């Protein structure tokens, strides 16, 4: 059984393949010219998707045609090339062209997940008895489309990640409208956060400390829903990667899948095309 339905896997692979460099089937530097054939990128990509969805180790998802070492080498290469970030930008461009990004209202929030193997982006989790954890800060539009992602240790406060998260959102979308309202929870209720928002020329709706959160939920609930969607992927719930580049690779790959799923679900009521999915369950 495939890890993703074909209506999600095939469009993502088509764009992913276009971002890959052309490489020979055999290694041209081999002295005898008879090196083993290179494992096709499509085979490795399907194994990477399985690792993302199920959160399994590479040894468990490896097959006779694709070893765990091959998966690790290819993921490291793709992460260094920034392919998942480029794939996410393509998904955002398609969504903006067909549906339209609502950038007038942006919500930012952080989420702490497990990182049992430690690594460059891990830290002591304040909500998991000091175990190693990962924090991701996500900015979303008014409908919950993930725009920018920043990862850091679980012991990092949300407020210092606000600036890098908004900068990542601007880099992925290309431009921001003149009037932007940023919706934040009370973890961002500080002088530095308000000064940063003013410096960027944005307005902010920040929940106040000491006031019950449900009363101030406002418009920022969409980013919490986005975190919930991203936590459907096992590699994000329990990240065992130690390299920061690989962690960001999986984060942006999941964000691209979330964006594409939202695009398909919102397009079914506006457009008609061959192979249009007839179910709302696009995991």
């Amino acid at each position: 059984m495939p890890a993703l339905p074909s209506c999600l896997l095939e469009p993502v692979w088509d764009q992913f393949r276009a971002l890959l460099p052309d490489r020979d089937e055999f290694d041209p530097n081999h002295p005898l010219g008879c090196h083993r054939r290179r494992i096709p990128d499509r085979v490795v990509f399907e194994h990477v998707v399985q690792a993302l969805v199920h959160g399994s180790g590479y040894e468990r998802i490896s097959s006779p045609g694709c070893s765990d070492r091959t998966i690790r080498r290819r993921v490291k290469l793709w992460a260094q090339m920034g392919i998942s970030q480029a794939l996410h930008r393509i998904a955002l461009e398609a969504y903006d062209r067909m549906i339209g990004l609502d950038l007038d209202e942006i919500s930012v929030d952080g989420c702490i997940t497990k990182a049992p193997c430690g690594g460059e982006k891990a830290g002591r989790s304040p909500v998991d008895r000091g175990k190693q954890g990962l924090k991701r800060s996500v900015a979303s539009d008014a409908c919950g489309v993930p725009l920018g992602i920043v990862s850091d240790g679980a012991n990092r406060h949300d407020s210092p990640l606000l600036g890098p998260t908004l900068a990542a959102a601007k880099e992925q979308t290309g431009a921001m409208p003149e009037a932007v309202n940023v919706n934040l929870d009370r973890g961002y209720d500080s002088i530095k956060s308000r000064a940063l928002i003013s410096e960027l020329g944005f307005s902010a709706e920040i929940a106040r400390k000491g006031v019950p959160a449900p009363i101030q939920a406002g418009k920022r609930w969409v980013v919490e829903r986005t975190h919930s969607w991203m936590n459907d992927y096992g590699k994000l719930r329990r990240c065992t990667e130690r390299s920061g580049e690989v962690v960001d690779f999986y984060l942006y790959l999941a964000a691209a899948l979330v964006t594409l799923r939202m695009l398909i679900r919102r397009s079914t009521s506006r457009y008609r095309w061959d192979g249009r999915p007839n179910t709302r369950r696009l995991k």
Side-chain angles (χ1 to χ4, degrees):
M1 183 176 180
L4 290 174
S6 59
C7 61
L8 284 178
L9 184 62
E10 295 302 328
V12 170
W13 165 246
D14 288 340
Q15 299 298 328
F16 195 93
R17 177 180 54 186
L19 297 171
L20 295 175
D22 295 331
R23 298 186 64 178
D24 297 330
E25 185 179 4
F26 294 96
D27 187 1
N29 298 323
H30 194 272
L32 301 179
C34 58
H35 195 266
R36 290 179 301 176
R37 284 184 172 87
R38 185 172 180 271
I39 304 299
D41 290 324
R42 174 60 187 262
V43 175
V44 182
F45 178 77
E46 291 182 354
H47 285 74
V48 170
V49 170
Q50 291 181 21
L52 172 65
V53 174
H54 303 305
S56 304
Y58 298 138
E59 295 84 356
R60 291 183 176 273
I61 63 173
S62 61
S63 62
C66 185
S67 67
D68 58 300
R69 295 184 179 181
T70 299
I71 301 173
R72 286 192 181 91
R73 287 195 299 265
R74 209 69 62 89
V75 168
K76 183 179 179 181
L77 175 63
W78 294 344
Q80 292 174 349
M81 297 172 59
I83 290 183
S84 62
Q85 288 87 336
L87 180 66
H88 179 238
R89 283 194 293 270
I90 293 174
L92 289 177
E93 291 173 1
Y95 186 95
D96 191 24
R97 184 170 59 253
M98 298 182 66
I99 306 298
L101 291 170
D102 192 351
L103 300 178
D104 294 335
E105 297 286 344
I106 294 180
S107 300
V108 181
D109 196 11
C111 178
I112 296 178
T113 55
K114 295 180 179 293
C117 298
E120 298 175 359
K121 294 296 185 71
R124 290 175 59 87
S125 176
V127 296
D128 195 15
R129 297 170 293 173
K131 296 181 180 179
Q132 293 293 298
L134 173 72
K135 172 172 283 189
R136 67 170 182 267
S137 178
V138 176
S140 70
D141 76 338
C143 294
V145 179
L147 305 176
I149 306 174
V150 173
S151 60
D152 211 324
N155 56 341
R156 190 75 180 274
H157 196 269
D158 288 341
S159 184
L161 299 179
L162 176 60
T165 305
L166 292 175
K170 183 177 181 180
E171 180 181 356
Q172 292 298 103
T173 56
M176 289 285 186
E178 295 182 0
V180 176
N181 184 55
V182 184
N183 302 278
L184 305 168
D185 65 6
R186 55 190 175 187
Y188 300 90
D189 187 12
S190 65
I191 298 177
K192 291 184 179 180
S193 297
R194 298 181 187 278
L196 174 63
I197 296 296
S198 300
E199 182 181 349
L200 295 175
F202 301 159
S203 60
E205 185 176 342
I206 306 177
R208 295 285 183 175
K209 296 179 180 179
V211 181
I215 300 177
Q216 308 179 79
K219 305 173 183 177
R220 54 168 296 277
W221 65 271
V222 292
V223 70
E224 296 182 352
R225 183 182 62 177
T226 303
H227 279 301
S228 177
W229 286 338
M230 297 185 71
N231 283 337
D232 284 339
Y233 297 98
K235 180 66 76 173
L236 272 56
R237 292 194 306 268
R238 187 176 182 274
C239 184
T240 56
E241 302 294 338
R242 297 183 59 85
S243 171
E245 290 182 338
V246 176
V247 171
D248 292 339
F249 170 83
Y250 279 111
L251 287 175
Y252 273 102
L253 180 58
L257 291 172
V258 169
T259 304
L260 178 60
R261 186 184 71 165
M262 294 185 66
L263 172 60
I264 293 176
R265 292 186 62 174
R266 300 195 66 183
S267 297
T268 51
S269 60
R270 305 187 184 192
Y271 303 96
R272 294 292 184 270
W273 68 91
D274 295 336
R276 184 169 67 102
N278 54 8
T279 177
R280 294 180 60 86
R281 299 191 62 182
L282 300 177
K283 296 295 185 181

